[in-house]
């Protein structure tokens, strides 16, 4: 089950356990149960602190296992064998149950311990989903910290009946006490804020009490992280506000063109960015987003940033690094069937459409790569491209055209997403040459038509171009003095991670130059 390299690495991790851990498994005669039994048996041999117990009389999913301490019945549970992207979640759960402390902020950990009420969470994940581990790990930690919280992480590929019965068409999908709670990547802070009804007002009050920053960075992706490091190294008071650390990087699977790093994964790079920022004196404000910018009325005075939660932050200079988001088709039915067949992440949600007919909208690199990946999972892929030719690199075009279960339709304008009220059943598209409208029966639609900058909240403040990108000069200056911008939300060409980090560093240096030349 585990190769020698994995065993050596896991054994080293398990040496950090400070108290005994029990793996209590409930299994049957299935092949998947055999896989789980083998996995847990091998883990138990790597540490004297870990004990594997099989108890098949429990009334729980089979196969599943609880990670707990002797004499306790609380802790995280996995249904299925958490390999792939979820193997890290398993390791973290073992460490946390075994007494190894979490690196999350003490205030947040205390908030979780103090939560009152009973919370039974269930998360459906797929082994290929790179977004799922964040949610699984967050809820596992909550189950470790508070005995009134339970969490079961469920492999949707193993429990297909539940996927069908609960209409789960995207992962991660979370249920709380039997009711739908959330879908998609969600941070620990966001989950806690959602169930702790008084948390929002407390956080607004705390944010309002923050002093004036020398530089406040809006957005915690690669550009924002680089700007934070460069600003903090100058010894100036630096704040970093963002919804989720890593930004778009978290939605990227493989990264192979970040110089000096031959290959990595988005989640790993995001973790590395966060670790680097944490090495410096940066006030990181997680799970928050900006709603408005109120520029200072004269140079040297503080700008104001209003958050969606209602707090007001002040800064002598501002760096906007809010990145971009997936572009929508903006056709009837898209919003109605979002997460019910309309999805934007083939890597995460592809396994949920095993053996089904799906469409990919978009013939650029992302769309063609999605079609290639999905072809190995689903029954059939129809790739629709608006233009008269595909825009992807020729090597990708050659690959997708060689696949027997992929059809390519050019000059296709998607006009409507169709469904039965519960899930997607097809789409309509217009042939742009003949104007004839065609119906295409489908069970899933993967949208891959590019990105839009996250700058809607800046309406009427800084100058933007026709598609909403912030107009900047060579020093990342915007049309407002003391306000700078960097990364995918700007007019800088070529939206690449390495370019975003460089622009973030440049924006920080420009902001510092502005500060030392402007009297407060």
């Amino acid at each position: 089950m585990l190769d020698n390299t994995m065993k050596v690495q896991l054994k080293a991790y398990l040496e950090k356990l400070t108290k005994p851990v029990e793996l209590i498994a409930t299994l049957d005669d299935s092949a998947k149960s055999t896989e789980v039994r083998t996995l847990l048996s091998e883990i138990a041999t790597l540490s004297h602190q870990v004990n594997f117990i099989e108890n098949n009389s429990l009334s729980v999913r089979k196969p599943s296992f609880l990670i707990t301490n002797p004499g306790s019945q609380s802790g995280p549970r996995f249904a299925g064998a958490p390999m792939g992207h979820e193997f890290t979640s398993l390791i973290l759960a073992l460490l946390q149950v075994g007494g190894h402390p979490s690196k999350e902020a003490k205030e947040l950990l205390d908030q979780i311990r103090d939560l009152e009420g009973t919370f039974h969470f269930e998360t459906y994940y797929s082994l290929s989903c790179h977004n799922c581990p964040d949610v699984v790990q967050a809820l596992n930690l909550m189950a470790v910290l508070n005995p009134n919280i339970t969490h079961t992480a469920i492999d949707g590929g193993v429990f297909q009946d539940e996927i069908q019965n609960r209409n789960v068409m995207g992962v991660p999908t979370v249920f709380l006490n039997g009711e739908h709670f959330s879908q998609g990547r969600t941070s620990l802070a966001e989950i806690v804020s959602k169930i702790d009804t008084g948390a929002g007002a407390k956080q607004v009050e705390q944010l309002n009490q923050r002093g004036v920053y020398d530089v406040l960075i809006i957005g915690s992706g690669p550009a924002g992280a680089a700007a934070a490091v460069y600003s903090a190294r100058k010894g100036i008071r630096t704040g970093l506000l963002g919804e989720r650390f890593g930004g778009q990087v978290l939605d990227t699977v493989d990264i192979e063109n970040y110089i000096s790093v031959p290959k990595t994964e988005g989640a790993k790079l995001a973790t590395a960015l966060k670790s680097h920022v944490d090495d410096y004196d940066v006030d990181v404000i997680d799970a928050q987003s900006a709603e408005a910018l109120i520029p200072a009325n004269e140079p040297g005075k503080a700008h104001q940033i209003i958050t969606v939660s209602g707090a007001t932050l002040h800064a002598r200079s501002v760096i906007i690094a809010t990145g971009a988001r997936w572009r929508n088709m903006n056709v009837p039915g898209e919003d109605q069937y979002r997460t019910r067949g309309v999805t934007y992440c083939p890597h995460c949600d592809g396994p949920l459409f095993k053996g089904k007919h799906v469409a990919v909208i978009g013939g650029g690199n992302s769309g063609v790569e999605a079609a290639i990946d999905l072809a190995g999972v689903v029954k059939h892929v129809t790739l629709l491209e608006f233009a008269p030719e595909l825009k992807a690199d020729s090597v990708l075009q050659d690959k997708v055209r060689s696949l027997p279960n992929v059809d390519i339709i050019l000059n296709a304008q998607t006009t409507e997403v169709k469904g039965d009220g519960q899930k997607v059943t097809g789409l309509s598209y217009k042939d742009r040459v003949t104007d004839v409208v065609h119906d295409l029966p489908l069970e899933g639609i993967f949208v891959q038509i590019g990105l839009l900058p996250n700058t809607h909240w800046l309406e009427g403040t800084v100058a933007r171009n026709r598609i909403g990108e912030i107009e900047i000069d060579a020093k990342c200056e915007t049309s407002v003095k003391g306000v700078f911008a960097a990364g995918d939300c700007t007019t800088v060409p070529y939206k690449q991670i390495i370019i975003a980090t460089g622009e973030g560093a440049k924006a920080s240096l420009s902001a510092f130059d502005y500060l030392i030349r402007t009297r407060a």
Side-chain angles (χ1 to χ4, degrees):
M1 187 74 188
L2 300 177
D3 61 32
N4 287 333
T5 301
M6 295 175 71
K7 287 181 179 179
V8 171
Q9 292 174 340
L10 183 53
K11 183 178 178 64
Y13 280 121
L14 295 179
E15 290 176 357
K16 299 178 181 180
L17 299 179
T18 60
K19 55 185 178 180
V21 174
E22 289 185 345
L23 304 174
I24 304 176
T26 306
L27 309 172
D28 53 24
D29 296 328
S30 67
K32 186 58 66 173
S33 282
T34 300
E35 185 179 333
V36 172
R37 184 182 291 111
T38 301
L39 172 65
L40 301 185
S41 298
E42 291 182 355
I43 291 173
T45 65
L46 301 177
S47 172
H48 69 278
Q49 293 273 42
V50 180
N51 187 27
F52 170 43
I53 301 170
E54 190 168 334
N55 184 349
N56 298 330
S57 63
L58 299 177
S59 180
V60 293
R61 293 177 181 85
K62 297 181 180 181
S64 68
F65 62 95
L66 177 70
I67 306 176
T68 188
N69 304 114
S72 173
Q73 291 298 314
S74 65
R77 177 179 291 276
F78 286 93
M83 300 303 290
H85 289 292
E86 291 303 335
F87 188 65
T88 301
S89 301
L90 171 59
I91 294 174
L92 277 177
L94 286 165
L95 292 176
Q96 290 165 354
V97 172
H100 192 67
S102 168
K103 294 183 179 180
E104 294 288 345
K106 180 180 182 300
E107 294 81 3
L108 183 57
L109 299 178
D110 290 340
Q111 186 180 356
I112 294 168
R113 292 187 183 98
D114 294 339
L115 285 171
E116 297 181 355
T118 302
F119 306 93
H120 298 297
F121 287 100
E122 299 166 293
T123 302
Y124 290 92
Y125 67 85
S126 69
L127 294 179
S128 61
C129 173
H130 57 281
N131 287 323
C132 295
D134 278 3
V135 177
V136 170
Q137 291 166 22
L139 291 168
N140 279 350
L141 177 59
M142 293 175 67
V144 171
L145 295 174
N146 191 324
N148 296 320
I149 300 174
T150 66
H151 177 232
T152 302
I154 307 160
D155 183 351
V158 176
F159 296 90
Q160 284 283 339
D161 289 346
E162 292 188 34
I163 291 287
Q164 297 293 333
N165 293 337
R166 285 181 142 175
N167 286 322
V168 175
M169 305 190 76
V171 289
T173 293
V174 180
F175 288 82
L176 171 58
N177 297 334
E179 300 294 329
H180 186 275
F181 177 75
S182 68
Q183 184 160 334
R185 185 186 292 272
T186 311
S187 69
L188 177 63
E190 289 172 319
I191 295 170
V192 174
S193 178
K194 196 170 179 179
I195 63 175
D196 187 355
T197 54
K202 293 178 185 176
Q203 188 168 31
V204 167
E205 183 179 352
Q206 292 173 353
L207 291 177
N208 284 337
Q209 294 174 0
R210 306 285 172 102
V212 178
Y213 295 99
D214 289 313
V215 59
L216 178 60
I217 302 152
I218 314 300
S220 50
V229 169
Y230 268 70
S231 294
R233 285 175 61 87
K234 294 294 185 181
I236 59 179
R237 185 162 190 260
T238 304
L240 178 62
L241 179 146
E243 291 183 66
R244 52 175 190 155
F245 210 103
Q248 272 187 71
V249 166
L250 292 168
D251 299 324
T252 305
V253 182
D254 294 326
I255 298 170
E256 298 179 326
N257 56 349
Y258 196 87
I259 306 306
S260 83
V261 182
K263 184 174 182 179
T264 187
E265 296 175 358
K268 290 181 180 179
L269 180 58
T271 299
L273 291 172
K274 180 65 163 62
S275 178
H276 198 171
V277 169
D278 287 344
D279 286 341
Y280 295 92
D281 187 14
V282 177
D283 186 9
V284 178
I285 305 170
D286 280 324
Q288 291 283 336
S289 57
E291 185 174 66
L293 164 67
I294 302 176
N297 52 17
E298 60 181 274
K301 298 297 183 181
H303 305 282
Q304 296 182 51
I305 293 291
I306 312 300
T307 70
V308 172
S309 62
T312 301
L313 299 169
H314 302 83
R316 292 177 58 205
S317 67
V318 174
I319 297 175
I320 302 168
T322 45
R325 64 190 183 279
W326 289 114
R327 185 189 298 269
N328 295 325
M329 295 183 292
N330 293 320
V331 300
E334 180 179 17
D335 287 340
Q336 180 182 356
Y337 292 104
R338 192 186 308 271
T339 75
R340 292 191 287 172
V342 175
T343 180
Y344 301 81
C345 182
H347 302 288
C348 302
D349 300 335
L352 302 180
F353 295 85
K354 183 177 181 180
K356 298 181 179 180
H357 288 255
V358 304
V360 173
I361 312 298
N365 282 347
S366 296
V368 173
E369 287 174 350
I372 293 169
D373 290 343
L374 289 167
V377 178
V378 305
K379 186 174 183 179
H380 188 271
V381 180
T382 302
L383 177 63
L384 291 90
E385 165 56 39
F386 183 85
E389 68 280 324
L390 296 180
K391 303 169 187 173
D393 295 342
S394 58
V395 64
L396 294 175
Q397 292 193 39
D398 292 342
K399 174 63 176 177
V400 76
R401 293 184 191 280
S402 73
L403 299 174
N405 62 335
V406 177
D407 287 336
I408 300 171
I409 303 176
L410 303 175
N411 290 303
Q413 179 181 353
T414 304
T415 57
E416 183 180 3
V417 173
K418 296 190 172 182
D420 60 8
Q422 296 295 320
K423 60 183 182 300
V424 165
T425 59
L427 62 77
S428 297
Y429 72 91
K430 182 176 73 173
D431 185 317
R432 297 178 56 241
V433 176
T434 65
D435 283 339
V436 175
V437 175
H438 301 271
D439 291 328
L440 193 62
L442 297 164
E443 294 166 279
I445 301 171
F446 293 81
V447 183
Q448 301 282 292
I449 55 174
L451 300 167
L452 284 175
N454 293 316
T455 61
H456 53 283
W457 59 283
L458 293 167
E459 184 70 36
T461 52
V462 300
R464 300 178 297 158
N465 66 12
R466 61 179 182 81
I467 62 172
E469 295 173 332
I470 300 170
E471 295 179 352
I472 58 172
D473 64 11
K475 296 178 66 176
C476 295
E477 292 180 307
T478 72
S479 60
V480 176
K481 288 295 182 183
V483 177
F484 304 83
D488 287 5
C489 65
T490 73
T491 51
V492 66
Y494 313 119
K495 313 303 186 185
Q496 298 288 311
I497 296 170
I498 196 165
I499 292 175
T501 53
E503 290 291 300
K506 189 202 299 182
S508 176
L509 295 172
S510 295
F512 181 72
D513 185 66
Y514 165 82
L515 289 171
I516 63 176
R517 296 172 184 275
T518 306
R519 287 183 176 274

